[in-house]
Amino acid sequence: MFKGALFDLDGVIADTSTLHFEAWKKLINNYFSAKLPSDLEEKTKGVSRADSLKVILNYLEVSVSENMFQQLLFEKNEQYKESLKQLSPDNILPGVATFISELKQQKVKLALASSSLNGPLILEKLTLAEKFDAIVDPSKVENGKPAPDIFIAAAQSLNLQPLECIGIEDSIAGLKAIKESGAFSVAIGTNSDLKTADLHLSTTAELTFAAVRTAYHQ
């Protein structure tokens, strides 16, 4: 039986990933009068803010100074945090609150393994903060996803080994990180690249303790 559950945040607990991309689109339009295509969003999911900006600037074929790079990061985060003000428990994705309750009933420890620096704030807004035993600070992790560092750190924060844990993700970068960490991988979403997970589910509504336990034992 697994002893820990390591959660991504955006697209797994709440659908805040769309808020990220909306903030990027506004920022890029303001500074460069350019529009970002919707298919670029997948490449910015699950990775750090700085890595997301690098993806976007590479797409635009634009170079900026280090000062401008930091300014763009700051302004994007301010726009994103403004959008979080309206966040509430109603924004928890279908089935997730019940799944978390089931894990707690089974004495499974929970850790947040998100690239978002706003993870603690978001969990507070969703009234889920008290459910988590640990929240990894992504700024203290040397390598971001798809490197396994944040999932290894999340397991360690629970005094567990990754092999004793499940990791839950909705991004390709995140799934790679879970696999490299050695944790049991649960991927959520319709992207065909996610089907390489140990357990692949189309939506969070399918995320139940029984489904994960069955797949884990198999």
Side-chain angles (χ1 to χ4, degrees):
M1 178 63 186
F2 56 90
K3 299 176 181 178
L6 318 176
F7 281 79
D8 178 42
L9 177 54
D10 297 327
V12 171
I13 296 176
D15 194 12
T16 46
S17 57
T18 56
L19 301 180
H20 279 293
F21 200 61
E22 285 301 316
W24 283 125
K25 288 198 292 186
K26 289 179 183 177
L27 186 77
I28 296 307
N29 187 53
N30 289 343
Y31 273 89
F32 304 106
S33 299
K35 295 188 182 301
L36 299 179
S38 57
D39 59 357
L40 195 66
E41 181 178 358
E42 185 63 39
K43 295 181 180 180
T44 66
K45 287 174 67 175
V47 299
S48 68
R49 195 182 313 152
D51 286 342
S52 292
L53 180 54
K54 288 174 185 175
V55 167
I56 291 168
L57 293 177
N58 184 59
Y59 166 79
L60 296 174
E61 298 182 340
V62 169
S63 296
V64 298
S65 67
E66 179 59 25
N67 284 343
M68 175 59 78
F69 189 86
Q70 295 301 323
Q71 179 66 21
L72 292 171
L73 292 181
F74 174 78
E75 290 193 27
K76 182 269 176 181
N77 194 47
E78 290 303 300
Q79 288 189 31
Y80 175 66
K81 286 196 293 185
E82 186 66 25
S83 69
L84 292 179
K85 288 181 178 179
Q86 306 304 316
L87 209 62
S88 76
D90 291 338
N91 296 104
I92 299 173
L93 286 167
V96 173
T98 300
F99 178 60
I100 287 174
S101 294
E102 290 176 335
L103 291 173
K104 299 303 288 185
Q105 289 169 8
Q106 297 295 325
K107 309 300 183 187
V108 176
K109 295 181 179 179
L110 309 187
L112 189 69
S114 170
S115 301
S116 175
L117 293 167
N118 297 298
L121 170 64
I122 294 171
L123 289 184
E124 287 288 350
K125 290 278 189 180
L126 300 174
T127 67
L128 290 175
E130 72 281 359
K131 302 285 187 182
F132 281 77
D133 301 282
I135 298 174
V136 177
D137 181 351
S139 69
K140 303 289 177 62
V141 176
E142 185 174 355
N143 300 300
K145 302 171 187 177
D149 301 31
I150 196 164
F151 284 101
I152 294 171
Q156 290 174 342
S157 71
L158 300 176
N159 295 315
L160 298 172
Q161 295 298 316
L163 285 171
E164 301 176 281
C165 302
I166 62 169
I168 309 168
E169 268 283 358
D170 74 317
S171 72
I172 298 164
L175 175 57
K176 288 179 179 177
I178 294 173
K179 286 185 166 186
E180 281 201 39
S181 77
F184 180 90
S185 58
V186 179
I188 299 170
T190 56
N191 190 308
S192 59
D193 289 334
L194 297 175
K195 293 182 179 179
T196 60
D198 296 311
L199 173 62
H200 174 245
L201 305 170
S202 297
T203 70
T204 57
E206 301 170 35
L207 186 60
T208 65
F209 179 76
V212 175
R213 179 177 59 186
T214 298
Y216 184 83
H217 284 300
Q218 289 175 345

